[in-house]
Amino acid sequence: MKAKILSMLRETDGYISGQQLCEEFHVSRTAVWKVIEQLKTEGYKIEAVRNRGYHLEETPDVMSKAEIESLISTKWAGCGVLYFPEIDSTNTYAKRLGDGGADHGTLVVSDKQTAGKGRRGRAWESPSGSSIYMSILLRPEITPNQAPMLTLVMAQSVAQAIRKITGEEAMIKWPNDIVLNKKKICGMLTEMSTEIAWINYVVIGVGINVNTESFPEELNKKATSLYLESGRKIQRSQLIAESMRQFEHYYELFIETGNLSAMQEDYNRLLVNRDRDVRIMEPGNEYNGHAIGINETGELLVCKEDGQIAEIYAGEVSVRGIYGYV
Ligand code: ATP
């Protein structure tokens, strides 16, 4: 009821009467009033006028199950939301949900992670009150070797969502980091449970530095936030909902074609490495080349110094600029 009341308040320019809300939810006026009071204590500015009703004046950067659900407008992506003020890792929790049979599209969101994870056992800095940590559970009918493409689908979706919500020119650093002005604002971690020929589930975790005001010394050079780059605070729940909307769209294109052909152009347009010299860091093998773009299956095409084109498979590889992170 709270999420529905919020969306109703958001959809009206004017006022919604208490009577209207009572009828909609078949509850008493006191019950409606209690929800409104609760919303106020969470930071929403709601004006109550006699004989007219309630009006939402201002939404703060609230992250809660109700706020996220009231903004989600998808068919399945993020339709079931589990929200935690604090968690060890949203990916770890989503994997547990996957083992327990939870639905495709379930979304785990937290305000803080105590053990946020990056790729290959690295840590993801996850303070409270400013960032997005979310993991979506997927049950795709694809083979395990197609799964790495899903990370690119998410990178494309989040980059588009950031552009739409903030107007900032977010770019993708292949395969799945998002950068703004050459610094990292978002990282992703895909994990899965598979048998030899099929997938039980995939979990894609996304960490976005949204309203972060400062970073620990060791991250300063490489990391930034949407706030630090744009000077504006952003409502995290809106960015979550828009990311889910974009993800549902691109995911369905991916499932229809079985590859990235339908979004290859969109992805390459946002690819920060495109037409740049890059350093490819494979375990035990590092070399320079010129990045061309991704192919239909998400490999990065790189023209090596000897003129040969290498197709680089995301996995154990890292890509850097020749002189820095990008
Ligand atoms: P790769 O190109 O191999 O993916 P990466 O360094 O970007 O390299 P990830 O696993 O995506 O690797 O992310 C983990 C790394 O990101 C950490 O080792 C740290 O350097 C950096 N990092 C950790 N927390 C944050 C954060 N909140 N924002 C930006 N960068 C972070």
Side-chain angles (χ1 to χ4, degrees), residues 1-25 29 32-33 36 39 46-57:
M1 175 162 109
K2 200 158 134 192
K4 192 79 208 301
I5 289 184
L6 262 176
S7 10
M8 287 173 76
L9 285 171
R10 210 175 268 125
E11 280 156 19
T12 357
D13 286 336
Y15 293 79
I16 298 187
S17 71
Q19 188 59 33
Q20 215 176 320
L21 291 172
C22 294
E23 281 166 17
E24 176 79 24
F25 300 103
R29 270 179 181 260
V32 167
W33 177 82
I36 299 282
L39 288 171
I46 300 172
E47 186 197 11
V49 176
R50 252 214 143 116
N51 298 327
R52 289 177 83 182
Y54 301 107
H55 169 69
L56 181 62
E57 287 184 323

Side-chain angles (χ1 to χ4, degrees), residues 106-180:
T106 304
L107 184 68
V108 180
V109 181
S110 185
D111 183 52
K112 175 183 178 181
Q113 292 186 118
T114 51
K117 299 187 286 185
R119 297 205 297 169
R120 280 171 269 165
R122 290 184 287 227
W124 186 259
E125 176 73 19
S126 309
S128 67
S130 60
S131 304
I132 292 173
Y133 314 110
M134 62 179 175
S135 298
I136 189 165
L137 172 70
L138 303 168
R139 299 191 181 278
E141 290 185 3
I142 56 173
T143 55
N145 67 350
Q146 289 174 294
M149 286 188 264
L150 280 170
T151 321
L152 280 78
V153 173
M154 184 58 94
Q156 173 67 22
S157 310
V158 174
Q160 282 289 15
I162 290 173
R163 286 175 160 244
K164 180 123 195 256
I165 297 288
T166 67
E168 295 294 320
E169 302 204 332
M171 303 290 284
I172 303 167
K173 177 178 151 293
W174 183 86
N176 59 346
D177 288 330
I178 298 178
V179 295
L180 195 51

Side-chain angles (χ1 to χ4, degrees), residues 118-120 122-125 173 177 184 209 215 219 222-223 317-320 325:
R119 297 205 297 169
R120 280 171 269 165
R122 290 184 287 227
W124 186 259
E125 176 73 19
K173 177 178 151 293
D177 288 330
K184 184 159 165 172
N209 303 324
F215 287 92
L219 284 179
K222 169 174 173 186
V317 186
S318 293
V319 174
R320 295 283 182 272
Y325 186 60

Side-chain angles (χ1 to χ4, degrees), residues 98-99 139-140 142-147 192-202:
D99 291 329
R139 299 191 181 278
I142 56 173
T143 55
N145 67 350
Q146 289 174 294
M192 58 182 170
S193 155
T194 60
E195 304 297 330
I196 287 176
W198 74 86
I199 290 176
N200 296 322
Y201 61 79
V202 174

